[in-house]
Amino acid sequence: MGSDQRSAMRIAVLAGGMSSEREISFSSGKNAAAALREAGFGTVDLLDPADKGFLDGIRAGGYDAAFIALHGAGGEDGMIQHLMEYLDMPYTGSDALASACGVDKDLSKALYERAGIPVADGVAIRRGEKIDPDAIVASLGHDLFVKPAINGSSYGVTKVSDAQELPKAIERAFEYSSKVLVESCLTGTEITVGVFGDDDSLRALPIVEICCPDEVDFYDLSVKYVVSDSIHRIPARLPEDVYAQAQEFACRAHRALGCFGFSRTDFIVTKDGPVILETNTIPGMTETSLFPDEVRHEGRAFSDVCAELVDMAIARHERK
């Protein structure tokens, strides 16, 4: 798309929303909006779907496309994508079905396994079900991760090492989701792999190695949005064959969920190879987020990538 075309276009960046990741979403939205303006789009407005006047505003705004920077419920679960389809508006990223599959960690695990991607051992627990902590520990081991099945940014995630800690950890996870996953704690190197492109040009980005400080148990909110080269190491220090396998698994996960445009998949590289944790269908786009780091390391401007996401969204809409 030429610069003259972009200068005449109106883009609505959707950020904020109703999830526990609202403030992070605003940071992503502001960063994406600045990138789109840098790329030459004439009008770029930041809209919050949680505002009462949102529907009237987006209908009356004459927007050519929506750039979705919403994380968590209402953004990554397919809700906003359904609305965009109803409004017949091009939008960035995965469609409603792929979003719903990706946000449900229990469902996505089944799709990963079907695609031949290794997953962690675990059990899903629904609200109201009776739990037997001793039986869970006997099956999965003492070191466990308890997480909401539908949520993001490490909200409600607890690492436990004793059956007595499980009930409280499960109760905390239920504050964020009606379904909870309890999984074996994997030992190895934590990495994340961004994927970018449409069906024909899909490729994996440089892999980021997550180097958590010794004082934290895992990559949680206390370090996730901190600027530090010591936390994000690019490229990851992996053997060449393992590096290639992780990138291939990330592309395979993207396709298994039916994602479009971009995604970011997290893994633990164990002694047996990469084991998938989850796929983010709308990766964080703040100044300290992982996906923009990968893009920059590849040698591309974040503004160009955001512009391409809009181009892909419009092309997909035209194909329909």
Side-chain angles (χ1 to χ4, degrees):
M1 184 180 298
S3 57
D4 290 343
Q5 289 175 288
R6 285 180 179 169
S7 65
M9 293 182 68
R10 298 176 61 83
I11 307 298
V13 176
L14 310 188
M18 62 183 186
S19 82
S20 54
E21 299 175 71
R22 174 177 170 82
E23 295 307 317
I24 297 168
S25 172
F26 273 130
S27 295
S28 285
K30 290 174 184 176
N31 201 36
L36 292 169
R37 293 185 186 106
E38 183 182 334
F41 289 95
T43 300
V44 181
D45 295 333
L46 195 69
L47 303 183
D48 182 0
D51 288 345
K52 290 183 179 180
F54 169 73
L55 275 177
D56 290 337
I58 198 166
R59 278 173 168 164
Y63 296 107
D64 296 286
F67 190 103
I68 300 178
L70 295 161
H71 307 310
E76 288 181 275
D77 55 6
M79 185 183 297
I80 195 70
Q81 291 80 6
H82 274 305
L83 178 59
M84 294 299 102
E85 295 281 357
Y86 183 78
L87 295 175
D88 195 31
M89 180 176 293
Y91 60 90
T92 57
S94 299
D95 64 16
L97 179 58
S99 300
C101 290
V103 79
D104 187 327
K105 296 180 179 67
D106 184 34
L107 175 58
S108 59
K109 281 181 71 173
L111 294 172
Y112 298 147
E113 287 188 284
R114 185 175 178 181
I117 307 170
V119 301
D121 293 333
V123 294
I125 303 169
R126 287 167 175 77
R127 195 187 304 278
E129 289 183 348
K130 293 183 179 180
I131 62 169
D132 184 340
D134 292 326
I136 292 174
V137 168
S139 173
L140 301 177
H142 284 85
D143 292 326
L144 303 166
F145 270 107
V146 181
K147 62 183 74 172
I150 304 175
N151 205 50
S153 273
S154 302
Y155 287 98
V157 178
T158 306
K159 184 179 180 181
V160 302
S161 56
D162 190 280
Q164 294 181 346
E165 300 173 6
L166 263 178
K168 185 175 181 180
I170 291 171
E171 182 180 347
R172 179 169 181 254
F174 273 132
E175 294 176 8
Y176 296 92
S177 175
S178 61
K179 183 166 58 172
V180 168
L181 283 182
V182 182
E183 294 181 329
S184 298
C185 181
L186 300 170
T187 302
T189 301
E190 185 169 359
I191 62 170
T192 190
V193 190
V195 171
F196 179 75
D198 59 20
D199 295 337
D200 297 326
S201 64
L202 190 68
R203 69 183 188 280
L205 298 175
I207 298 177
V208 181
E209 178 182 347
I210 308 299
C211 306
C212 284
D214 293 337
E215 62 270 19
V216 301
D217 288 331
F218 62 98
Y219 188 57
D220 63 5
L221 290 169
S222 67
V223 294
K224 201 167 250 190
Y225 299 100
V226 174
V227 178
S228 174
D229 291 339
S230 64
I231 295 173
H232 297 179
R233 186 181 293 274
I234 314 174
R237 298 166 295 182
L238 298 173
E240 187 175 335
D241 60 332
V242 176
Y243 195 103
Q245 185 181 46
Q247 288 187 312
E248 196 275 328
F249 279 166
C251 290
R252 197 185 298 182
H254 181 96
R255 291 190 173 100
L257 297 176
C259 296
F260 180 82
F262 68 158
S263 68
R264 205 199 74 234
T265 298
D266 303 333
F267 299 88
I268 298 291
V269 181
T270 70
K271 60 181 180 61
D272 298 318
V275 178
I276 195 167
L277 298 177
E278 65 176 338
T279 298
N280 300 271
T281 55
I282 304 178
M285 288 173 280
T286 72
E287 291 184 355
T288 62
S289 292
L290 293 158
F291 186 85
D293 262 4
E294 294 177 84
V295 166
R296 286 189 288 266
H297 190 81
E298 193 184 44
R300 304 198 61 198
F302 182 58
S303 58
D304 290 341
V305 168
C306 288
E308 283 190 47
L309 287 170
V310 172
D311 293 345
M312 283 188 275
I314 292 172
R316 174 179 57 183
H317 188 263
E318 290 174 348
R319 288 194 298 268
K320 290 181 179 180

